[in-house]
Amino acid sequence: MNARTAIVLGGGGVTGAAYEIAALMAIRLATGWEPNRAEVVIGTSAGAGVAGLVRGQRLDVGTMVREMEDEDAVAARISGTLYPRSAPGGLTRWMRRGLLPGLRSPGVSFVLGAPGRYDPAGIGDWLESLIGTEAAGSWPEEPTVCVAYDLEERTRVAFGTDQAPDVALRDAVAASSAVPVIFDPHRIDGRPYVDGGVASGTHADLVLAAPTPLDLVIIIAPMAADEGRRRAYPFEALLDRVGRKALEAELAEIRSAWPDTDVVVLRPRPAVLAAMRPNPMDPSRAVPTFVAALNSMKTRLASPEVWAVLRDHLGDGERVA
């Protein structure tokens, strides 16, 4: 199979990354297609980290669980790497770039630049621990995009494209994943960046930068669920609604520009959401989410509307059943 394929990996915290890893591993098992063969991989927030794993060829169970580790040990390892405490400060920056603009125009801008509890450099350390210093300190040869948000210009920045500065992959992933309030903004050459998810959870429209239409676009969107879990908190439905709205607009752009391109969107079902939430940043939910997502993919990928597309474009190696 020589289908030209894009992978779009949305934001979703620690559990969103676990969901995406499971989904990509399931696709590989079902079709025999290696995700690293994708024409382009686009990642936002947690999806940027998973994009790094794809290009670093680290889509394996060992990424989630190491030998002799139980769930508590996995959670402790992830937490110890991802969440180093940040240095005090940042109030002036927040007032100038978040608080004052937020008072003039209330919304998500209110929290932009707010001091965080943790240093996003730990996210880069996590990536480096998995793909190695050389890969994390350079940029993949294959087209790869990590989307962050520039606090000074108040616009998205797609690292890995000609319009963005050249940076190391670990810095792009840290910037893309710097969730406001939880993490400090990540500085690259003195410029502060935060999570690309403040503009969109997916940025799927960036696939349209390809010089010619692609055959298939696979979008994995942990924060755009179309079914809620039982006993969900109200904010979960709100976040999913925002994610769906942005994604639907991006899908409309893709379908308008590339009417012959097939698009597959994978979103977590209620059984998976029960493992992922209410706190997607909780490392103790990583392994349960990974297991639940693998189980869910058995039926999701085998559904006629999904399997027909994957089989035609990617192959039918070892079908999930």
Side-chain angles (χ1 to χ4, degrees):
M1 295 287 178
N2 295 311
R4 299 177 64 240
T5 302
I7 298 174
V8 177
L9 301 163
V14 173
T15 62
Y19 176 78
E20 291 173 339
I21 292 169
L24 291 172
M25 288 177 62
I27 291 172
R28 181 173 60 195
L29 176 64
T31 66
W33 179 76
E34 174 56 57
N36 192 36
R37 291 171 55 193
E39 192 85 6
V40 62
V41 180
I42 297 169
T44 300
S45 194
V50 178
L53 298 181
V54 171
R55 291 313 195 194
Q57 300 190 64
R58 280 306 314 270
L59 280 180
D60 53 66
V61 174
T63 298
M64 294 297 306
V65 183
R66 297 177 182 174
E67 189 174 358
M68 304 300 291
E69 280 187 332
D70 59 15
E71 288 185 21
D72 291 339
V74 172
R77 172 171 52 82
I78 294 174
S79 181
T81 306
L82 284 185
Y83 296 129
R85 289 283 184 171
S86 63
L91 287 175
T92 301
R93 176 196 62 229
W94 177 40
M95 290 183 67
R96 185 170 70 251
R97 299 199 176 100
L99 182 59
L100 294 179
L103 291 175
R104 291 192 293 268
S105 180
V108 71
S109 62
F110 189 81
V111 300
L112 295 182
R117 294 181 64 189
Y118 304 107
D119 183 347
I123 301 168
D125 293 339
W126 166 81
L127 181 67
E128 184 173 321
S129 73
L130 292 169
I131 68 172
T133 301
E134 183 176 352
S138 57
W139 198 264
E141 292 183 6
E142 305 85 358
T144 308
V145 178
C146 298
V147 187
Y149 187 85
D150 185 326
L151 274 182
E152 293 186 353
E153 295 295 330
R154 303 183 78 80
T155 188
R156 73 177 179 183
V157 175
F159 292 113
T161 67
D162 292 340
Q163 292 73 38
D166 292 333
V167 302
L169 183 60
R170 60 168 294 143
D171 279 317
V173 170
S176 180
S177 307
V179 181
V181 179
I182 297 176
F183 291 100
D184 272 341
H186 187 63
R187 289 186 170 273
I188 303 175
D189 294 331
R191 200 173 190 89
Y193 299 91
V194 295
D195 193 312
V198 304
S200 165
T202 43
H203 297 280
D205 59 301
L206 289 173
V207 301
L208 296 174
T212 57
L214 302 177
D215 300 308
L216 172 64
V217 177
I218 299 171
I219 301 171
I220 309 179
M223 297 297 286
D226 49 15
E227 300 176 81
R229 68 184 182 96
R230 293 181 61 192
R231 303 186 187 90
Y233 290 90
F235 72 83
E236 297 178 46
L238 174 62
L239 291 174
D240 281 324
R241 187 160 57 248
V242 171
R244 286 196 306 272
K245 182 178 180 180
L247 178 55
E248 286 163 5
E250 293 157 11
L251 288 171
E253 285 190 57
I254 295 170
R255 287 165 177 153
S256 174
W258 294 348
D260 296 325
T261 296
D262 285 319
V263 179
V264 170
V265 180
L266 300 176
R267 319 167 194 251
R269 297 294 178 83
V272 182
L273 292 173
M276 296 177 71
R277 300 181 182 177
N279 179 9
M281 305 301 293
D282 182 359
S284 72
R285 307 310 300 161
V287 172
T289 296
F290 179 72
V291 173
L294 283 177
N295 286 331
S296 175
M297 288 299 152
K298 292 179 182 179
T299 55
R300 183 69 182 117
L301 299 188
S303 63
E305 69 276 11
V306 173
W307 180 245
V309 174
L310 295 183
R311 180 194 58 212
D312 289 349
H313 289 298
L314 306 182
D316 56 356
E318 214 180 310
R319 183 174 180 180
V320 176

